[in-house]
Amino acid sequence: MQEIKIIIGKSGKVVLDVNGIKGSGCKELTKKLEKALGSAESTKAKSEMYEQTQTVEKNQETSA
C-alpha cells in the first residue's frame, strides 16, 4: 500500500513520510508537494529506496 504522511510540527516544520514505494518513485510522487511547500531542507532515504520493483514475465510454450 502506498502512503504519504504529511506531518506539520508546532514550529511549522513539514515532514513528508513516504511508505510503500520502491526505488526512486517516492521522489516523483512528492515532487509537487515539495514544490508547493518549498525546497527540502533535507532528505532521508529508507531501505525501500534501494529496492527495485520486480516484473515477472511468464512465457508459455505450446507444442503441436
Short mmCIF file of all heavy atoms in Angstrom, two decimals:
data_model
loop_
_atom_site.label_atom_id
_atom_site.label_comp_id
_atom_site.label_asym_id
_atom_site.label_seq_id
_atom_site.Cartn_x
_atom_site.Cartn_y
_atom_site.Cartn_z
N MET A 1 0.83 -1.17 0.00
CA MET A 1 0.00 0.00 0.00
C MET A 1 0.89 1.25 0.00
O MET A 1 1.81 1.36 0.79
CB MET A 1 -0.89 0.00 1.24
CG MET A 1 -1.81 1.19 1.31
SD MET A 1 -3.02 1.03 2.61
CE MET A 1 -2.33 2.14 3.81
N GLN A 2 0.61 2.18 -0.91
CA GLN A 2 1.35 3.42 -0.98
C GLN A 2 0.73 4.43 -0.03
O GLN A 2 -0.49 4.56 0.05
CB GLN A 2 1.33 3.97 -2.41
CG GLN A 2 2.01 3.05 -3.39
CD GLN A 2 1.92 3.59 -4.80
OE1 GLN A 2 1.25 4.57 -5.07
NE2 GLN A 2 2.61 2.94 -5.71
N GLU A 3 1.60 5.17 0.67
CA GLU A 3 1.10 6.10 1.67
C GLU A 3 2.06 7.28 1.81
O GLU A 3 3.27 7.10 1.81
CB GLU A 3 0.99 5.37 3.00
CG GLU A 3 0.58 6.21 4.16
CD GLU A 3 0.52 5.40 5.45
OE1 GLU A 3 1.57 4.96 5.94
OE2 GLU A 3 -0.59 5.22 5.94
N ILE A 4 1.51 8.48 1.88
CA ILE A 4 2.29 9.67 2.19
C ILE A 4 1.70 10.28 3.46
O ILE A 4 0.52 10.60 3.51
CB ILE A 4 2.22 10.73 1.07
CG1 ILE A 4 2.74 10.18 -0.23
CG2 ILE A 4 3.01 11.97 1.48
CD1 ILE A 4 2.58 11.15 -1.39
N LYS A 5 2.54 10.43 4.47
CA LYS A 5 2.13 11.11 5.70
C LYS A 5 2.72 12.51 5.65
O LYS A 5 3.91 12.68 5.40
CB LYS A 5 2.66 10.40 6.94
CG LYS A 5 2.02 9.07 7.22
CD LYS A 5 2.60 8.48 8.49
CE LYS A 5 2.09 7.08 8.72
NZ LYS A 5 2.71 6.46 9.90
N ILE A 6 1.89 13.51 5.89
CA ILE A 6 2.34 14.89 5.97
C ILE A 6 2.24 15.30 7.43
O ILE A 6 1.14 15.36 7.99
CB ILE A 6 1.51 15.81 5.07
CG1 ILE A 6 1.56 15.32 3.62
CG2 ILE A 6 1.99 17.25 5.19
CD1 ILE A 6 0.62 16.04 2.69
N ILE A 7 3.38 15.56 8.03
CA ILE A 7 3.43 15.89 9.45
C ILE A 7 3.90 17.34 9.58
O ILE A 7 4.96 17.69 9.08
CB ILE A 7 4.40 14.94 10.20
CG1 ILE A 7 3.97 13.48 9.95
CG2 ILE A 7 4.45 15.28 11.68
CD1 ILE A 7 5.04 12.46 10.26
N ILE A 8 3.10 18.16 10.24
CA ILE A 8 3.45 19.57 10.45
C ILE A 8 3.64 19.78 11.94
O ILE A 8 2.72 19.62 12.74
CB ILE A 8 2.35 20.50 9.91
CG1 ILE A 8 2.11 20.21 8.42
CG2 ILE A 8 2.74 21.96 10.13
CD1 ILE A 8 0.93 20.92 7.82
N GLY A 9 4.87 20.12 12.31
CA GLY A 9 5.21 20.33 13.71
C GLY A 9 4.77 21.70 14.20
O GLY A 9 4.38 22.57 13.43
N LYS A 10 4.84 21.91 15.51
CA LYS A 10 4.45 23.19 16.12
C LYS A 10 5.29 24.35 15.59
O LYS A 10 4.82 25.47 15.50
CB LYS A 10 4.58 23.11 17.64
CG LYS A 10 3.55 22.21 18.28
CD LYS A 10 3.70 22.19 19.78
CE LYS A 10 2.68 21.25 20.39
NZ LYS A 10 2.78 21.21 21.85
N SER A 11 6.53 24.06 15.22
CA SER A 11 7.42 25.11 14.70
C SER A 11 7.14 25.42 13.23
O SER A 11 7.72 26.34 12.67
CB SER A 11 8.88 24.67 14.86
OG SER A 11 9.14 23.54 14.02
N GLY A 12 6.27 24.63 12.61
CA GLY A 12 5.96 24.81 11.20
C GLY A 12 6.76 23.91 10.28
O GLY A 12 6.57 23.92 9.08
N LYS A 13 7.66 23.13 10.87
CA LYS A 13 8.47 22.21 10.07
C LYS A 13 7.56 21.12 9.49
O LYS A 13 6.74 20.54 10.19
CB LYS A 13 9.55 21.58 10.94
CG LYS A 13 10.43 20.61 10.19
CD LYS A 13 11.52 20.02 11.09
CE LYS A 13 12.34 19.02 10.34
NZ LYS A 13 13.39 18.42 11.19
N VAL A 14 7.72 20.87 8.19
CA VAL A 14 6.90 19.88 7.49
C VAL A 14 7.75 18.67 7.17
O VAL A 14 8.86 18.79 6.66
CB VAL A 14 6.31 20.47 6.18
CG1 VAL A 14 5.51 19.42 5.44
CG2 VAL A 14 5.46 21.68 6.48
N VAL A 15 7.23 17.48 7.48
CA VAL A 15 7.90 16.23 7.18
C VAL A 15 6.99 15.41 6.28
O VAL A 15 5.81 15.22 6.58
CB VAL A 15 8.21 15.43 8.47
CG1 VAL A 15 8.81 14.07 8.14
CG2 VAL A 15 9.12 16.22 9.39
N LEU A 16 7.53 14.95 5.15
CA LEU A 16 6.80 14.04 4.26
C LEU A 16 7.38 12.65 4.49
O LEU A 16 8.56 12.42 4.27
CB LEU A 16 6.99 14.45 2.80
CG LEU A 16 6.50 15.83 2.40
CD1 LEU A 16 6.82 16.10 0.95
CD2 LEU A 16 5.02 15.97 2.65
N ASP A 17 6.56 11.73 4.93
CA ASP A 17 6.98 10.36 5.20
C ASP A 17 6.30 9.46 4.18
O ASP A 17 5.08 9.30 4.19
CB ASP A 17 6.59 9.98 6.62
CG ASP A 17 7.09 8.60 7.03
OD1 ASP A 17 7.94 8.03 6.32
OD2 ASP A 17 6.61 8.09 8.06
N VAL A 18 7.10 8.87 3.27
CA VAL A 18 6.56 8.05 2.19
C VAL A 18 6.81 6.58 2.49
O VAL A 18 7.92 6.19 2.83
CB VAL A 18 7.22 8.43 0.84
CG1 VAL A 18 6.67 7.58 -0.28
CG2 VAL A 18 7.02 9.91 0.55
N ASN A 19 5.77 5.77 2.36
CA ASN A 19 5.88 4.33 2.58
C ASN A 19 5.26 3.56 1.42
O ASN A 19 4.31 4.03 0.79
CB ASN A 19 5.14 3.92 3.87
CG ASN A 19 5.82 4.45 5.11
OD1 ASN A 19 6.98 4.17 5.36
ND2 ASN A 19 5.11 5.25 5.87
N GLY A 20 5.82 2.39 1.14
CA GLY A 20 5.24 1.50 0.14
C GLY A 20 5.66 1.78 -1.29
O GLY A 20 5.08 1.25 -2.22
N ILE A 21 6.66 2.63 -1.49
CA ILE A 21 7.15 2.94 -2.83
C ILE A 21 8.58 2.41 -2.93
O ILE A 21 9.44 2.81 -2.16
CB ILE A 21 7.17 4.45 -3.11
CG1 ILE A 21 5.81 5.08 -2.83
CG2 ILE A 21 7.64 4.74 -4.53
CD1 ILE A 21 4.74 4.70 -3.79
N LYS A 22 8.83 1.54 -3.90
CA LYS A 22 10.17 1.01 -4.10
C LYS A 22 10.92 1.85 -5.12
O LYS A 22 10.33 2.38 -6.04
CB LYS A 22 10.12 -0.44 -4.55
CG LYS A 22 9.59 -1.37 -3.50
CD LYS A 22 9.64 -2.80 -3.95
CE LYS A 22 9.09 -3.72 -2.86
NZ LYS A 22 9.16 -5.12 -3.24
N GLY A 23 12.23 1.94 -4.95
CA GLY A 23 13.04 2.70 -5.88
C GLY A 23 12.87 4.19 -5.67
O GLY A 23 12.46 4.66 -4.61
N SER A 24 13.20 4.96 -6.69
CA SER A 24 13.16 6.41 -6.57
C SER A 24 11.79 6.99 -6.88
O SER A 24 11.63 8.20 -7.02
CB SER A 24 14.21 7.03 -7.49
OG SER A 24 13.95 6.67 -8.82
N GLY A 25 10.77 6.16 -6.98
CA GLY A 25 9.41 6.61 -7.26
C GLY A 25 8.87 7.58 -6.23
O GLY A 25 8.03 8.42 -6.54
N CYS A 26 9.38 7.52 -5.00
CA CYS A 26 8.90 8.43 -3.96
C CYS A 26 9.25 9.87 -4.29
O CYS A 26 8.49 10.79 -3.99
CB CYS A 26 9.45 8.04 -2.60
SG CYS A 26 11.23 8.10 -2.48
N LYS A 27 10.39 10.09 -4.94
CA LYS A 27 10.78 11.45 -5.31
C LYS A 27 9.79 12.03 -6.32
O LYS A 27 9.40 13.18 -6.22
CB LYS A 27 12.18 11.45 -5.90
CG LYS A 27 13.26 11.19 -4.88
CD LYS A 27 14.62 11.25 -5.52
CE LYS A 27 15.72 10.95 -4.52
NZ LYS A 27 17.04 11.00 -5.13
N GLU A 28 9.40 11.23 -7.28
CA GLU A 28 8.44 11.69 -8.29
C GLU A 28 7.07 11.93 -7.65
O GLU A 28 6.37 12.88 -7.99
CB GLU A 28 8.33 10.66 -9.41
CG GLU A 28 7.56 11.12 -10.62
CD GLU A 28 8.20 12.31 -11.32
OE1 GLU A 28 9.43 12.41 -11.38
OE2 GLU A 28 7.43 13.15 -11.82
N LEU A 29 6.71 11.07 -6.72
CA LEU A 29 5.41 11.16 -6.06
C LEU A 29 5.28 12.43 -5.22
O LEU A 29 4.22 13.04 -5.17
CB LEU A 29 5.21 9.92 -5.18
CG LEU A 29 3.87 9.74 -4.52
CD1 LEU A 29 2.77 9.56 -5.56
CD2 LEU A 29 3.89 8.53 -3.60
N THR A 30 6.36 12.86 -4.59
CA THR A 30 6.31 14.02 -3.70
C THR A 30 6.76 15.32 -4.35
O THR A 30 6.75 16.37 -3.71
CB THR A 30 7.16 13.77 -2.44
OG1 THR A 30 8.51 13.53 -2.84
CG2 THR A 30 6.62 12.60 -1.63
N LYS A 31 7.14 15.26 -5.62
CA LYS A 31 7.69 16.44 -6.30
C LYS A 31 6.77 17.66 -6.21
O LYS A 31 7.20 18.75 -5.86
CB LYS A 31 7.95 16.10 -7.77
CG LYS A 31 8.66 17.21 -8.54
CD LYS A 31 8.75 16.86 -10.02
CE LYS A 31 10.03 16.14 -10.31
NZ LYS A 31 10.22 15.90 -11.75
N LYS A 32 5.49 17.48 -6.50
CA LYS A 32 4.54 18.60 -6.48
C LYS A 32 4.32 19.12 -5.05
O LYS A 32 4.17 20.31 -4.84
CB LYS A 32 3.22 18.21 -7.12
CG LYS A 32 3.31 18.05 -8.61
CD LYS A 32 1.98 17.72 -9.23
CE LYS A 32 2.13 17.54 -10.73
NZ LYS A 32 0.87 17.20 -11.38
N LEU A 33 4.30 18.21 -4.09
CA LEU A 33 4.14 18.64 -2.70
C LEU A 33 5.33 19.48 -2.25
O LEU A 33 5.17 20.53 -1.62
CB LEU A 33 4.00 17.43 -1.77
CG LEU A 33 2.66 16.71 -1.79
CD1 LEU A 33 2.74 15.43 -0.98
CD2 LEU A 33 1.58 17.62 -1.22
N GLU A 34 6.53 19.02 -2.60
CA GLU A 34 7.72 19.77 -2.22
C GLU A 34 7.74 21.14 -2.89
O GLU A 34 8.14 22.13 -2.28
CB GLU A 34 8.98 18.98 -2.59
CG GLU A 34 9.19 17.78 -1.69
CD GLU A 34 10.45 17.00 -2.04
OE1 GLU A 34 11.40 17.60 -2.60
OE2 GLU A 34 10.49 15.80 -1.77
N LYS A 35 7.31 21.21 -4.13
CA LYS A 35 7.28 22.48 -4.85
C LYS A 35 6.31 23.45 -4.16
O LYS A 35 6.60 24.63 -4.00
CB LYS A 35 6.87 22.27 -6.30
CG LYS A 35 6.97 23.50 -7.15
CD LYS A 35 6.70 23.21 -8.60
CE LYS A 35 6.85 24.48 -9.43
NZ LYS A 35 6.65 24.25 -10.84
N ALA A 36 5.17 22.95 -3.73
CA ALA A 36 4.17 23.79 -3.08
C ALA A 36 4.63 24.23 -1.69
O ALA A 36 4.32 25.34 -1.25
CB ALA A 36 2.84 23.04 -2.98
N LEU A 37 5.37 23.37 -0.99
CA LEU A 37 5.77 23.65 0.39
C LEU A 37 7.11 24.36 0.49
O LEU A 37 7.48 24.86 1.54
CB LEU A 37 5.83 22.35 1.19
CG LEU A 37 4.50 21.60 1.33
CD1 LEU A 37 4.73 20.23 1.94
CD2 LEU A 37 3.53 22.40 2.17
N GLY A 38 7.87 24.39 -0.60
CA GLY A 38 9.21 24.99 -0.58
C GLY A 38 10.26 23.91 -0.69
O GLY A 38 9.98 22.72 -0.60
N SER A 39 11.49 24.33 -0.88
CA SER A 39 12.57 23.36 -1.09
C SER A 39 12.82 22.54 0.17
O SER A 39 12.60 22.99 1.29
CB SER A 39 13.86 24.08 -1.50
OG SER A 39 14.26 24.97 -0.48
N ALA A 40 13.28 21.33 -0.06
CA ALA A 40 13.52 20.41 1.05
C ALA A 40 14.79 20.81 1.81
O ALA A 40 15.81 21.11 1.21
CB ALA A 40 13.68 18.99 0.52
N GLU A 41 14.67 20.83 3.12
CA GLU A 41 15.82 21.13 3.97
C GLU A 41 16.77 19.94 3.98
O GLU A 41 17.98 20.09 3.95
CB GLU A 41 15.32 21.42 5.38
CG GLU A 41 16.39 21.82 6.35
CD GLU A 41 15.81 22.13 7.72
OE1 GLU A 41 14.91 22.99 7.81
OE2 GLU A 41 16.26 21.51 8.69
N SER A 42 16.19 18.74 4.00
CA SER A 42 16.99 17.52 3.97
C SER A 42 16.10 16.36 3.52
O SER A 42 14.87 16.46 3.55
CB SER A 42 17.58 17.21 5.34
OG SER A 42 16.57 16.92 6.27
N THR A 43 16.72 15.30 3.08
CA THR A 43 16.00 14.08 2.73
C THR A 43 16.70 12.90 3.38
O THR A 43 17.90 12.93 3.62
CB THR A 43 15.94 13.85 1.20
OG1 THR A 43 17.27 13.75 0.70
CG2 THR A 43 15.20 14.97 0.49
N LYS A 44 15.93 11.87 3.66
CA LYS A 44 16.47 10.66 4.28
C LYS A 44 15.85 9.47 3.57
O LYS A 44 14.63 9.28 3.59
CB LYS A 44 16.12 10.63 5.77
CG LYS A 44 16.68 9.45 6.51
CD LYS A 44 16.31 9.52 7.98
CE LYS A 44 16.76 8.29 8.72
NZ LYS A 44 16.32 8.31 10.11
N ALA A 45 16.68 8.70 2.89
CA ALA A 45 16.20 7.54 2.15
C ALA A 45 15.96 6.36 3.10
O ALA A 45 16.74 6.12 4.02
CB ALA A 45 17.22 7.13 1.09
N LYS A 46 14.85 5.67 2.86
CA LYS A 46 14.56 4.44 3.60
C LYS A 46 15.10 3.26 2.81
O LYS A 46 15.50 3.40 1.65
CB LYS A 46 13.05 4.29 3.79
CG LYS A 46 12.44 5.37 4.66
CD LYS A 46 10.96 5.12 4.83
CE LYS A 46 10.35 6.15 5.74
NZ LYS A 46 8.93 5.87 5.95
N SER A 47 15.07 2.08 3.38
CA SER A 47 15.58 0.90 2.69
C SER A 47 14.80 0.61 1.41
O SER A 47 15.34 0.07 0.46
CB SER A 47 15.56 -0.31 3.62
OG SER A 47 14.23 -0.61 4.02
N GLU A 48 13.52 1.01 1.36
CA GLU A 48 12.70 0.80 0.17
C GLU A 48 13.27 1.53 -1.04
O GLU A 48 13.07 1.13 -2.18
CB GLU A 48 11.27 1.28 0.40
CG GLU A 48 10.50 0.46 1.40
CD GLU A 48 9.15 1.09 1.73
OE1 GLU A 48 9.09 2.31 1.90
OE2 GLU A 48 8.18 0.32 1.82
N MET A 49 14.00 2.61 -0.81
CA MET A 49 14.58 3.39 -1.89
C MET A 49 15.56 2.55 -2.71
O MET A 49 15.72 2.75 -3.90
CB MET A 49 15.30 4.61 -1.29
CG MET A 49 16.11 5.41 -2.25
SD MET A 49 15.06 6.48 -3.21
CE MET A 49 16.30 7.46 -4.01
N TYR A 50 16.20 1.60 -2.06
CA TYR A 50 17.22 0.80 -2.72
C TYR A 50 16.67 -0.50 -3.28
O TYR A 50 17.40 -1.27 -3.90
CB TYR A 50 18.37 0.54 -1.76
CG TYR A 50 18.93 1.84 -1.22
CD1 TYR A 50 18.63 2.27 0.07
CD2 TYR A 50 19.70 2.66 -2.03
CE1 TYR A 50 19.12 3.48 0.54
CE2 TYR A 50 20.19 3.87 -1.56
CZ TYR A 50 19.89 4.27 -0.28
OH TYR A 50 20.36 5.47 0.18
N GLU A 51 15.38 -0.75 -3.08
CA GLU A 51 14.74 -1.94 -3.64
C GLU A 51 14.27 -1.63 -5.06
O GLU A 51 13.97 -0.50 -5.40
CB GLU A 51 13.54 -2.36 -2.80
CG GLU A 51 13.91 -2.83 -1.42
CD GLU A 51 12.70 -3.21 -0.59
OE1 GLU A 51 11.65 -3.53 -1.18
OE2 GLU A 51 12.81 -3.18 0.63
N GLN A 52 14.22 -2.65 -5.87
CA GLN A 52 13.74 -2.48 -7.23
C GLN A 52 12.42 -3.21 -7.39
O GLN A 52 12.22 -4.27 -6.81
CB GLN A 52 14.75 -3.05 -8.23
CG GLN A 52 16.05 -2.29 -8.24
CD GLN A 52 17.01 -2.86 -9.26
OE1 GLN A 52 16.69 -3.82 -9.95
NE2 GLN A 52 18.17 -2.28 -9.35
N THR A 53 11.55 -2.63 -8.19
CA THR A 53 10.29 -3.29 -8.49
C THR A 53 10.59 -4.43 -9.45
O THR A 53 11.28 -4.24 -10.44
CB THR A 53 9.31 -2.30 -9.14
OG1 THR A 53 9.15 -1.19 -8.27
CG2 THR A 53 7.97 -2.95 -9.39
N GLN A 54 10.07 -5.59 -9.15
CA GLN A 54 10.33 -6.76 -9.99
C GLN A 54 9.12 -7.05 -10.85
O GLN A 54 7.99 -7.05 -10.38
CB GLN A 54 10.66 -7.98 -9.14
CG GLN A 54 11.95 -7.82 -8.38
CD GLN A 54 12.27 -9.07 -7.56
OE1 GLN A 54 11.46 -9.97 -7.44
NE2 GLN A 54 13.46 -9.11 -7.01
N THR A 55 9.39 -7.30 -12.11
CA THR A 55 8.34 -7.67 -13.05
C THR A 55 8.59 -9.12 -13.45
O THR A 55 9.68 -9.48 -13.86
CB THR A 55 8.38 -6.78 -14.30
OG1 THR A 55 8.27 -5.42 -13.89
CG2 THR A 55 7.26 -7.13 -15.25
N VAL A 56 7.58 -9.93 -13.31
CA VAL A 56 7.69 -11.34 -13.66
C VAL A 56 7.03 -11.53 -15.02
O VAL A 56 5.87 -11.18 -15.23
CB VAL A 56 7.00 -12.24 -12.61
CG1 VAL A 56 7.06 -13.69 -13.03
CG2 VAL A 56 7.62 -12.03 -11.26
N GLU A 57 7.81 -12.07 -15.93
CA GLU A 57 7.28 -12.32 -17.27
C GLU A 57 7.07 -13.82 -17.42
O GLU A 57 7.96 -14.62 -17.17
CB GLU A 57 8.28 -11.83 -18.32
CG GLU A 57 7.73 -11.85 -19.71
CD GLU A 57 8.70 -11.23 -20.70
OE1 GLU A 57 9.16 -10.10 -20.45
OE2 GLU A 57 9.01 -11.90 -21.69
N LYS A 58 5.88 -14.19 -17.78
CA LYS A 58 5.56 -15.60 -17.90
C LYS A 58 5.50 -15.98 -19.38
O LYS A 58 4.73 -15.40 -20.16
CB LYS A 58 4.19 -15.87 -17.24
CG LYS A 58 3.84 -17.31 -17.15
CD LYS A 58 2.54 -17.50 -16.38
CE LYS A 58 2.18 -18.95 -16.27
NZ LYS A 58 0.94 -19.15 -15.55
N ASN A 59 6.33 -16.91 -19.77
CA ASN A 59 6.33 -17.41 -21.13
C ASN A 59 5.60 -18.73 -21.17
O ASN A 59 5.78 -19.58 -20.33
CB ASN A 59 7.77 -17.62 -21.65
CG ASN A 59 8.48 -16.31 -21.83
OD1 ASN A 59 7.87 -15.31 -22.16
ND2 ASN A 59 9.79 -16.31 -21.62
N GLN A 60 4.79 -18.89 -22.17
CA GLN A 60 4.02 -20.11 -22.30
C GLN A 60 4.41 -20.78 -23.62
O GLN A 60 4.34 -20.18 -24.69
CB GLN A 60 2.53 -19.77 -22.31
CG GLN A 60 1.68 -20.83 -21.74
CD GLN A 60 0.23 -20.34 -21.62
OE1 GLN A 60 -0.21 -19.46 -22.32
NE2 GLN A 60 -0.50 -20.96 -20.73
N GLU A 61 4.85 -22.02 -23.52
CA GLU A 61 5.21 -22.75 -24.72
C GLU A 61 4.06 -23.68 -25.09
O GLU A 61 3.43 -24.28 -24.24
CB GLU A 61 6.47 -23.59 -24.47
CG GLU A 61 7.71 -22.73 -24.30
CD GLU A 61 8.96 -23.60 -24.17
OE1 GLU A 61 8.97 -24.72 -24.69
OE2 GLU A 61 9.92 -23.13 -23.53
N THR A 62 3.81 -23.76 -26.39
CA THR A 62 2.79 -24.67 -26.86
C THR A 62 3.42 -25.69 -27.79
O THR A 62 4.34 -25.38 -28.53
CB THR A 62 1.68 -23.92 -27.62
OG1 THR A 62 2.27 -23.20 -28.70
CG2 THR A 62 0.94 -22.95 -26.70
N SER A 63 2.98 -26.89 -27.70
CA SER A 63 3.52 -27.92 -28.60
C SER A 63 2.38 -28.40 -29.50
O SER A 63 1.24 -28.53 -29.10
CB SER A 63 4.10 -29.07 -27.80
OG SER A 63 3.14 -29.58 -26.90
N ALA A 64 2.73 -28.65 -30.74
CA ALA A 64 1.72 -29.04 -31.73
C ALA A 64 1.62 -30.54 -31.86
O ALA A 64 2.43 -31.31 -31.61
CB ALA A 64 2.04 -28.42 -33.08
#
